[in-house]
Each structure stands twice: as C-alpha cells, then as structure tokens.
Amino acid sequence: MVHAARTSMIQDLYAKSPPEGMEELMGSKLLHLFSDIKTEEDFAISVFVFEKNISD
C-alpha cells in the first residue's frame, strides 16, 4: 500500500508541475513519467519521456 501511494504521489507531483528548469535544460517538453519505489530496499527509479529525442 505504501509502495502504490508513493509511486502515485510522485507521478501526480510531476504531472502537475515538472521539476523547474528540467524542460528548458533538456530542450523538450516532459510527456510522461514512469516511476517505481521499493520501500523495503530503499530504492526508487524514474523514467522521464520527453517530446523530442534528447540525444540529438
């Protein structure tokens, strides 16, 4: 339950307000965020999906 709540909390936070300066730094709009947290291992991962290929 804590796992789902934390994951949802992070996704909601970024959906409402992407980290300040991230889109400008990457030169692309943030479209999606995938995140997962393993509380028992104190481990979290986030995958940011941008509008444009940022490797160009």
Side-chain angles (χ1 to χ4, degrees), residues 8-50:
S8 294
M9 181 182 72
I10 290 170
Q11 291 172 337
D12 291 345
L13 175 68
Y14 285 140
K16 291 177 186 169
S17 177
E20 186 150 340
M22 179 182 278
E23 292 179 332
E24 291 81 13
L25 177 67
M26 304 313 286
S28 186
K29 180 175 173 34
L30 178 63
L31 298 178
H32 301 286
L33 168 67
F34 300 95
S35 62
D36 196 11
I37 298 174
K38 290 189 172 189
T39 54
E40 60 279 348
E41 296 177 24
D42 195 27
F43 182 80
I45 188 166
S46 296
V47 177
F48 297 88
V49 178
F50 291 92

